Amino acid sequence: MGEWLEKYGPHEILAALASDGPALPGAGAQRWAGLRLRAEEAHPATDLARAQERGGRFLCPGDPEWPCQLDDLGTAKPFGLWVRGTPSLRYWSLRSVAVVGARACTDYGAHTAAHLGADLAERGWTVVSGAAHGIDGSAHRGAMAVHGPTVGVLACGVDMAYPPGHRELIERLAERALLIAELPPGDHPTRSRFVLRNRVIAALTRGTVVVEAALRSGSLVTARHAQRLGRHTMGVPGPVTSGLSAGVHELLRGEAALVTDAAEIIELVGTMGELAPDRRGPAVARDLLSGETARVLEALPARGPVTVERLSRAACTPPALALARLHELRALGFVEREGDGWQLIRSPDRHSIG
């Protein structure tokens, strides 16, 4: 159908379906008969009226609000999108990240997805997901908890609540954020429609983050779509003992990037200069010592005093220089003098190797 739209346009296709003429090239007799039956059941005016009753609208390629990145799907791009919500889908999609994962997620996965959703939204990024149970719902809730932008992509009509248990969440998305769908109002989801929905999530965003996924998971389909489109693909690692981490870890063994927080995600999908902070362990006082002074400190025994001569041999440092470094260490509170010897001051926070 996408190829026909590029070649003939919608008016000619509709006219062909409504006539008794031959099928368009590429469709067999049985397939053409099925398309004609579907065309007979189509009531676009009724669909538009039903969407408007629920505060919805219809977008098609070329409209000012149409997200042009969907055109990267080529002939597989949506013919149009049904939208509920006030914000502009195009502007919200310019800085957007997909956060997807398992429906039957763990507490770890739900917690991680909610934090990622909140942190990304606070930094001005739109969180896109599928409004499903588990990771999807947690990501949406995290974004809305900080009054941030989020988009729910449905595999049914925008006036439907699926899954039914997320009716309240879906209505909140329509009121406070955005809901979008390819299917007209009233259409119910099927297995194949969930798979098709995933390509929209991947194309709409700059990158896809998978939080938890088994080896066979719909979220991995989204990630593979993102890879084919040249989008960033990211995964959040989990316990190696969890089956819900196996799919993510398989992605990470390939081309996906490992991420642990919003800053690392934005470093990949953002603009130049949006860098994640350096990761370093806690600094301790001995980190500031010069190499020679640190060597003298390391040469001191753990317990009891030691003479300067013995210490200088252990530190491979002349006695006069070792003594100078000992006085420096005493001023800094690392060592103390005990008769003719020197010993460590017991202070775990100061002498910890860290």
Side-chain angles (χ1 to χ4, degrees):
M1 186 64 73
E3 293 176 357
W4 288 343
L5 281 171
E6 284 193 351
K7 186 174 182 179
Y8 303 110
H11 296 288
E12 189 170 340
I13 296 173
L14 188 59
L17 288 169
S19 70
D20 295 327
L24 292 175
Q30 185 174 353
R31 178 62 173 163
W32 187 252
L35 289 173
R36 292 188 63 187
L37 287 174
R38 289 184 64 182
E40 290 174 2
E41 296 177 357
H43 303 285
T46 302
D47 293 336
L48 286 169
R50 185 169 181 175
Q52 289 172 355
E53 289 175 1
R54 301 299 300 274
R57 58 192 180 277
F58 183 73
L59 304 178
C60 61
D63 285 341
E65 197 183 342
W66 181 260
C68 295
Q69 59 267 40
L70 291 178
D71 298 340
D72 292 345
L73 290 168
T75 56
K77 69 182 179 183
F79 310 142
L81 290 174
W82 300 87
V83 182
R84 286 179 65 192
T86 303
S88 167
L89 177 60
R90 179 188 176 193
Y91 288 127
W92 270 25
S93 301
L94 291 175
R95 285 170 59 91
S96 61
V97 177
V99 180
V100 297
R103 288 176 172 81
C105 67
T106 65
D107 290 343
Y108 161 78
H111 176 82
T112 301
H115 270 274
L116 288 178
D119 291 346
L120 285 166
E122 281 189 322
R123 294 166 180 252
W125 286 81
T126 301
V127 177
V128 179
S129 199
H133 288 302
I135 298 301
D136 291 17
S138 296
H140 287 308
R141 292 188 182 95
M144 286 194 290
V146 296
H147 306 285
T150 183
V151 177
V153 185
L154 303 181
C156 56
V158 290
D159 61 334
M160 306 294 291
Y162 191 88
H166 271 186
R167 181 179 299 276
E168 181 181 352
L169 172 63
I170 290 171
E171 288 303 316
R172 287 176 62 203
L173 285 169
E175 293 171 2
R176 296 174 47 187
L178 281 174
L179 277 179
I180 66 172
E182 288 186 81
L183 299 175
D187 270 24
H188 293 270
T190 62
R191 182 179 180 85
S192 62
R193 287 171 174 175
F194 281 109
V195 176
L196 290 172
R197 182 270 309 270
N198 292 340
R199 86 192 194 289
V200 176
I201 295 176
L204 194 64
T205 55
R206 291 193 184 182
T208 295
V209 183
V210 183
V211 176
E212 278 189 324
L215 288 172
R216 183 170 180 171
S217 169
S219 56
L220 299 183
V221 175
T222 308
R224 294 187 188 105
H225 277 303
Q227 288 176 340
R228 286 193 290 269
L229 291 167
R231 307 290 200 265
H232 292 282
T233 307
M234 297 153 279
V236 177
V240 296
T241 54
S242 172
L244 288 174
S245 300
V248 180
H249 294 167
E250 193 66 21
L251 276 179
L252 295 174
R253 283 169 54 86
E255 297 179 1
L258 187 152
V259 294
T260 59
D261 59 20
E264 293 175 349
I265 295 171
I266 294 171
E267 183 176 71
L268 290 173
V269 301
T271 56
M272 186 178 297
E274 293 185 280
L275 302 177
D278 291 337
R279 312 293 184 184
R280 294 183 178 180
V284 295
R286 69 189 306 156
D287 294 337
L288 303 176
L289 299 177
S290 67
E292 195 170 66
T293 306
R295 191 164 64 248
V296 171
L297 180 63
E298 292 287 346
L300 282 163
R303 298 182 184 279
V306 63
T307 64
V308 174
E309 289 74 14
R310 184 176 176 185
L311 180 63
S312 67
R313 288 194 297 269
C316 296
T317 305
L321 192 56
L323 181 60
R325 297 294 175 252
L326 285 169
H327 284 295
E328 179 182 332
L329 290 169
R330 181 170 65 175
L332 294 172
F334 284 95
V335 301
E336 61 184 356
R337 192 160 189 170
E338 180 69 23
D340 293 332
W342 295 79
Q343 65 183 10
L344 292 170
I345 295 176
R346 304 308 303 170
S347 177
D349 61 328
R350 189 176 294 277
H351 302 303
S352 172
I353 294 177

mmCIF file with all atom_site columns, all heavy atoms in Angstrom, residues 59-68 71 77-80 90:
data_model
loop_
_atom_site.group_PDB
_atom_site.id
_atom_site.type_symbol
_atom_site.label_atom_id
_atom_site.label_alt_id
_atom_site.label_comp_id
_atom_site.label_asym_id
_atom_site.label_entity_id
_atom_site.label_seq_id
_atom_site.pdbx_PDB_ins_code
_atom_site.Cartn_x
_atom_site.Cartn_y
_atom_site.Cartn_z
_atom_site.occupancy
_atom_site.B_iso_or_equiv
_atom_site.pdbx_formal_charge
_atom_site.auth_seq_id
_atom_site.auth_comp_id
_atom_site.auth_asym_id
_atom_site.auth_atom_id
_atom_site.pdbx_PDB_model_num
ATOM 1   N N   . LEU A 1 59 ? -3.579 13.556 11.527 1.00 0.00 ? 59 LEU A N   1
ATOM 2   C CA  . LEU A 1 59 ? -2.425 14.138 10.834 1.00 0.00 ? 59 LEU A CA  1
ATOM 3   C C   . LEU A 1 59 ? -2.007 13.232 9.694  1.00 0.00 ? 59 LEU A C   1
ATOM 4   O O   . LEU A 1 59 ? -2.103 12.002 9.797  1.00 0.00 ? 59 LEU A O   1
ATOM 5   C CB  . LEU A 1 59 ? -1.232 14.282 11.789 1.00 0.00 ? 59 LEU A CB  1
ATOM 6   C CG  . LEU A 1 59 ? -1.414 15.085 13.075 1.00 0.00 ? 59 LEU A CG  1
ATOM 7   C CD1 . LEU A 1 59 ? -0.118 15.056 13.879 1.00 0.00 ? 59 LEU A CD1 1
ATOM 8   C CD2 . LEU A 1 59 ? -1.816 16.517 12.761 1.00 0.00 ? 59 LEU A CD2 1
ATOM 9   N N   . CYS A 1 60 ? -1.530 13.836 8.615  1.00 0.00 ? 60 CYS A N   1
ATOM 10  C CA  . CYS A 1 60 ? -0.971 13.051 7.518  1.00 0.00 ? 60 CYS A CA  1
ATOM 11  C C   . CYS A 1 60 ? 0.305  13.715 7.044  1.00 0.00 ? 60 CYS A C   1
ATOM 12  O O   . CYS A 1 60 ? 0.558  14.891 7.349  1.00 0.00 ? 60 CYS A O   1
ATOM 13  C CB  . CYS A 1 60 ? -1.974 12.899 6.375  1.00 0.00 ? 60 CYS A CB  1
ATOM 14  S SG  . CYS A 1 60 ? -2.490 14.452 5.632  1.00 0.00 ? 60 CYS A SG  1
ATOM 15  N N   . PRO A 1 61 ? 1.163  12.974 6.329  1.00 0.00 ? 61 PRO A N   1
ATOM 16  C CA  . PRO A 1 61 ? 2.420  13.566 5.845  1.00 0.00 ? 61 PRO A CA  1
ATOM 17  C C   . PRO A 1 61 ? 2.173  14.859 5.079  1.00 0.00 ? 61 PRO A C   1
ATOM 18  O O   . PRO A 1 61 ? 1.288  14.947 4.248  1.00 0.00 ? 61 PRO A O   1
ATOM 19  C CB  . PRO A 1 61 ? 2.976  12.478 4.930  1.00 0.00 ? 61 PRO A CB  1
ATOM 20  C CG  . PRO A 1 61 ? 2.419  11.201 5.490  1.00 0.00 ? 61 PRO A CG  1
ATOM 21  C CD  . PRO A 1 61 ? 1.040  11.547 5.963  1.00 0.00 ? 61 PRO A CD  1
ATOM 22  N N   . GLY A 1 62 ? 2.966  15.857 5.408  1.00 0.00 ? 62 GLY A N   1
ATOM 23  C CA  . GLY A 1 62 ? 2.807  17.173 4.795  1.00 0.00 ? 62 GLY A CA  1
ATOM 24  C C   . GLY A 1 62 ? 2.137  18.180 5.692  1.00 0.00 ? 62 GLY A C   1
ATOM 25  O O   . GLY A 1 62 ? 2.266  19.389 5.475  1.00 0.00 ? 62 GLY A O   1
ATOM 26  N N   . ASP A 1 63 ? 1.421  17.703 6.723  1.00 0.00 ? 63 ASP A N   1
ATOM 27  C CA  . ASP A 1 63 ? 0.817  18.629 7.683  1.00 0.00 ? 63 ASP A CA  1
ATOM 28  C C   . ASP A 1 63 ? 1.914  19.311 8.506  1.00 0.00 ? 63 ASP A C   1
ATOM 29  O O   . ASP A 1 63 ? 2.971  18.716 8.753  1.00 0.00 ? 63 ASP A O   1
ATOM 30  C CB  . ASP A 1 63 ? -0.126 17.886 8.636  1.00 0.00 ? 63 ASP A CB  1
ATOM 31  C CG  . ASP A 1 63 ? -1.438 17.506 7.969  1.00 0.00 ? 63 ASP A CG  1
ATOM 32  O OD1 . ASP A 1 63 ? -1.758 18.102 6.929  1.00 0.00 ? 63 ASP A OD1 1
ATOM 33  O OD2 . ASP A 1 63 ? -2.132 16.614 8.484  1.00 0.00 ? 63 ASP A OD2 1
ATOM 34  N N   . PRO A 1 64 ? 1.688  20.556 8.953  1.00 0.00 ? 64 PRO A N   1
ATOM 35  C CA  . PRO A 1 64 ? 2.712  21.247 9.749  1.00 0.00 ? 64 PRO A CA  1
ATOM 36  C C   . PRO A 1 64 ? 3.103  20.503 11.022 1.00 0.00 ? 64 PRO A C   1
ATOM 37  O O   . PRO A 1 64 ? 4.240  20.635 11.485 1.00 0.00 ? 64 PRO A O   1
ATOM 38  C CB  . PRO A 1 64 ? 2.050  22.593 10.074 1.00 0.00 ? 64 PRO A CB  1
ATOM 39  C CG  . PRO A 1 64 ? 1.034  22.791 8.995  1.00 0.00 ? 64 PRO A CG  1
ATOM 40  C CD  . PRO A 1 64 ? 0.532  21.419 8.656  1.00 0.00 ? 64 PRO A CD  1
ATOM 41  N N   . GLU A 1 65 ? 2.194  19.717 11.577 1.00 0.00 ? 65 GLU A N   1
ATOM 42  C CA  . GLU A 1 65 ? 2.477  19.014 12.824 1.00 0.00 ? 65 GLU A CA  1
ATOM 43  C C   . GLU A 1 65 ? 3.071  17.627 12.590 1.00 0.00 ? 65 GLU A C   1
ATOM 44  O O   . GLU A 1 65 ? 3.397  16.920 13.549 1.00 0.00 ? 65 GLU A O   1
ATOM 45  C CB  . GLU A 1 65 ? 1.192  18.895 13.661 1.00 0.00 ? 65 GLU A CB  1
ATOM 46  C CG  . GLU A 1 65 ? 1.423  18.552 15.112 1.00 0.00 ? 65 GLU A CG  1
ATOM 47  C CD  . GLU A 1 65 ? 0.132  18.373 15.898 1.00 0.00 ? 65 GLU A CD  1
ATOM 48  O OE1 . GLU A 1 65 ? -0.932 18.833 15.427 1.00 0.00 ? 65 GLU A OE1 1
ATOM 49  O OE2 . GLU A 1 65 ? 0.181  17.750 16.979 1.00 0.00 ? 65 GLU A OE2 1
ATOM 50  N N   . TRP A 1 66 ? 3.220  17.227 11.340 1.00 0.00 ? 66 TRP A N   1
ATOM 51  C CA  . TRP A 1 66 ? 3.717  15.880 11.038 1.00 0.00 ? 66 TRP A CA  1
ATOM 52  C C   . TRP A 1 66 ? 5.203  15.756 11.388 1.00 0.00 ? 66 TRP A C   1
ATOM 53  O O   . TRP A 1 66 ? 6.015  16.559 10.942 1.00 0.00 ? 66 TRP A O   1
ATOM 54  C CB  . TRP A 1 66 ? 3.516  15.563 9.564  1.00 0.00 ? 66 TRP A CB  1
ATOM 55  C CG  . TRP A 1 66 ? 3.979  14.186 9.165  1.00 0.00 ? 66 TRP A CG  1
ATOM 56  C CD1 . TRP A 1 66 ? 5.153  13.863 8.553  1.00 0.00 ? 66 TRP A CD1 1
ATOM 57  C CD2 . TRP A 1 66 ? 3.286  12.958 9.373  1.00 0.00 ? 66 TRP A CD2 1
ATOM 58  N NE1 . TRP A 1 66 ? 5.231  12.519 8.350  1.00 0.00 ? 66 TRP A NE1 1
ATOM 59  C CE2 . TRP A 1 66 ? 4.095  11.924 8.850  1.00 0.00 ? 66 TRP A CE2 1
ATOM 60  C CE3 . TRP A 1 66 ? 2.058  12.632 9.957  1.00 0.00 ? 66 TRP A CE3 1
ATOM 61  C CZ2 . TRP A 1 66 ? 3.715  10.589 8.884  1.00 0.00 ? 66 TRP A CZ2 1
ATOM 62  C CZ3 . TRP A 1 66 ? 1.684  11.297 9.990  1.00 0.00 ? 66 TRP A CZ3 1
ATOM 63  C CH2 . TRP A 1 66 ? 2.507  10.298 9.462  1.00 0.00 ? 66 TRP A CH2 1
ATOM 64  N N   . PRO A 1 67 ? 5.589  14.732 12.178 1.00 0.00 ? 67 PRO A N   1
ATOM 65  C CA  . PRO A 1 67 ? 7.016  14.531 12.498 1.00 0.00 ? 67 PRO A CA  1
ATOM 66  C C   . PRO A 1 67 ? 7.741  13.942 11.279 1.00 0.00 ? 67 PRO A C   1
ATOM 67  O O   . PRO A 1 67 ? 7.520  12.790 10.925 1.00 0.00 ? 67 PRO A O   1
ATOM 68  C CB  . PRO A 1 67 ? 6.989  13.527 13.660 1.00 0.00 ? 67 PRO A CB  1
ATOM 69  C CG  . PRO A 1 67 ? 5.544  13.384 14.052 1.00 0.00 ? 67 PRO A CG  1
ATOM 70  C CD  . PRO A 1 67 ? 4.730  13.759 12.868 1.00 0.00 ? 67 PRO A CD  1
ATOM 71  N N   . CYS A 1 68 ? 8.606  14.722 10.690 1.00 0.00 ? 68 CYS A N   1
ATOM 72  C CA  . CYS A 1 68 ? 9.243  14.316 9.430  1.00 0.00 ? 68 CYS A CA  1
ATOM 73  C C   . CYS A 1 68 ? 10.146 13.103 9.593  1.00 0.00 ? 68 CYS A C   1
ATOM 74  O O   . CYS A 1 68 ? 10.441 12.422 8.606  1.00 0.00 ? 68 CYS A O   1
ATOM 75  C CB  . CYS A 1 68 ? 10.037 15.480 8.852  1.00 0.00 ? 68 CYS A CB  1
ATOM 76  S SG  . CYS A 1 68 ? 9.006  16.884 8.362  1.00 0.00 ? 68 CYS A SG  1
ATOM 77  N N   . ASP A 1 71 ? 9.228  9.781  8.084  1.00 0.00 ? 71 ASP A N   1
ATOM 78  C CA  . ASP A 1 71 ? 9.452  9.537  6.661  1.00 0.00 ? 71 ASP A CA  1
ATOM 79  C C   . ASP A 1 71 ? 10.653 8.633  6.424  1.00 0.00 ? 71 ASP A C   1
ATOM 80  O O   . ASP A 1 71 ? 10.809 8.088  5.319  1.00 0.00 ? 71 ASP A O   1
ATOM 81  C CB  . ASP A 1 71 ? 9.639  10.856 5.916  1.00 0.00 ? 71 ASP A CB  1
ATOM 82  C CG  . ASP A 1 71 ? 8.399  11.747 5.995  1.00 0.00 ? 71 ASP A CG  1
ATOM 83  O OD1 . ASP A 1 71 ? 7.302  11.213 6.281  1.00 0.00 ? 71 ASP A OD1 1
ATOM 84  O OD2 . ASP A 1 71 ? 8.522  12.967 5.778  1.00 0.00 ? 71 ASP A OD2 1
ATOM 85  N N   . LYS A 1 77 ? 6.104  3.929  6.190  1.00 0.00 ? 77 LYS A N   1
ATOM 86  C CA  . LYS A 1 77 ? 5.688  4.976  7.126  1.00 0.00 ? 77 LYS A CA  1
ATOM 87  C C   . LYS A 1 77 ? 4.171  4.965  7.271  1.00 0.00 ? 77 LYS A C   1
ATOM 88  O O   . LYS A 1 77 ? 3.439  4.503  6.372  1.00 0.00 ? 77 LYS A O   1
ATOM 89  C CB  . LYS A 1 77 ? 6.164  6.346  6.641  1.00 0.00 ? 77 LYS A CB  1
ATOM 90  C CG  . LYS A 1 77 ? 5.470  6.857  5.393  1.00 0.00 ? 77 LYS A CG  1
ATOM 91  C CD  . LYS A 1 77 ? 6.043  8.191  4.961  1.00 0.00 ? 77 LYS A CD  1
ATOM 92  C CE  . LYS A 1 77 ? 5.369  8.694  3.683  1.00 0.00 ? 77 LYS A CE  1
ATOM 93  N NZ  . LYS A 1 77 ? 5.974  9.952  3.206  1.00 0.00 ? 77 LYS A NZ  1
ATOM 94  N N   . PRO A 1 78 ? 3.656  5.476  8.381  1.00 0.00 ? 78 PRO A N   1
ATOM 95  C CA  . PRO A 1 78 ? 2.197  5.524  8.562  1.00 0.00 ? 78 PRO A CA  1
ATOM 96  C C   . PRO A 1 78 ? 1.532  6.377  7.482  1.00 0.00 ? 78 PRO A C   1
ATOM 97  O O   . PRO A 1 78 ? 2.097  7.375  7.024  1.00 0.00 ? 78 PRO A O   1
ATOM 98  C CB  . PRO A 1 78 ? 2.033  6.163  9.947  1.00 0.00 ? 78 PRO A CB  1
ATOM 99  C CG  . PRO A 1 78 ? 3.346  5.968  10.625 1.00 0.00 ? 78 PRO A CG  1
ATOM 100 C CD  . PRO A 1 78 ? 4.376  5.996  9.551  1.00 0.00 ? 78 PRO A CD  1
ATOM 101 N N   . PHE A 1 79 ? 0.334  5.978  7.082  1.00 0.00 ? 79 PHE A N   1
ATOM 102 C CA  . PHE A 1 79 ? -0.441 6.794  6.132  1.00 0.00 ? 79 PHE A CA  1
ATOM 103 C C   . PHE A 1 79 ? -0.911 8.078  6.820  1.00 0.00 ? 79 PHE A C   1
ATOM 104 O O   . PHE A 1 79 ? -1.135 9.094  6.168  1.00 0.00 ? 79 PHE A O   1
ATOM 105 C CB  . PHE A 1 79 ? -1.654 6.019  5.612  1.00 0.00 ? 79 PHE A CB  1
ATOM 106 C CG  . PHE A 1 79 ? -1.310 4.646  5.112  1.00 0.00 ? 79 PHE A CG  1
ATOM 107 C CD1 . PHE A 1 79 ? -2.168 3.587  5.340  1.00 0.00 ? 79 PHE A CD1 1
ATOM 108 C CD2 . PHE A 1 79 ? -0.145 4.422  4.416  1.00 0.00 ? 79 PHE A CD2 1
ATOM 109 C CE1 . PHE A 1 79 ? -1.870 2.329  4.868  1.00 0.00 ? 79 PHE A CE1 1
ATOM 110 C CE2 . PHE A 1 79 ? 0.175  3.162  3.945  1.00 0.00 ? 79 PHE A CE2 1
ATOM 111 C CZ  . PHE A 1 79 ? -0.688 2.098  4.182  1.00 0.00 ? 79 PHE A CZ  1
ATOM 112 N N   . GLY A 1 80 ? -1.060 7.995  8.130  1.00 0.00 ? 80 GLY A N   1
ATOM 113 C CA  . GLY A 1 80 ? -1.489 9.131  8.932  1.00 0.00 ? 80 GLY A CA  1
ATOM 114 C C   . GLY A 1 80 ? -1.489 8.734  10.388 1.00 0.00 ? 80 GLY A C   1
ATOM 115 O O   . GLY A 1 80 ? -1.279 7.559  10.720 1.00 0.00 ? 80 GLY A O   1
ATOM 116 N N   . ARG A 1 90 ? 4.952  17.283 16.450 1.00 0.00 ? 90 ARG A N   1
ATOM 117 C CA  . ARG A 1 90 ? 6.221  17.540 15.765 1.00 0.00 ? 90 ARG A CA  1
ATOM 118 C C   . ARG A 1 90 ? 7.266  18.114 16.721 1.00 0.00 ? 90 ARG A C   1
ATOM 119 O O   . ARG A 1 90 ? 8.403  17.651 16.763 1.00 0.00 ? 90 ARG A O   1
ATOM 120 C CB  . ARG A 1 90 ? 5.994  18.497 14.597 1.00 0.00 ? 90 ARG A CB  1
ATOM 121 C CG  . ARG A 1 90 ? 7.269  18.821 13.846 1.00 0.00 ? 90 ARG A CG  1
ATOM 122 C CD  . ARG A 1 90 ? 7.058  19.916 12.823 1.00 0.00 ? 90 ARG A CD  1
ATOM 123 N NE  . ARG A 1 90 ? 8.306  20.278 12.180 1.00 0.00 ? 90 ARG A NE  1
ATOM 124 C CZ  . ARG A 1 90 ? 8.483  21.350 11.427 1.00 0.00 ? 90 ARG A CZ  1
ATOM 125 N NH1 . ARG A 1 90 ? 7.471  22.184 11.233 1.00 0.00 ? 90 ARG A NH1 1
ATOM 126 N NH2 . ARG A 1 90 ? 9.645  21.605 10.871 1.00 0.00 ? 90 ARG A NH2 1
#
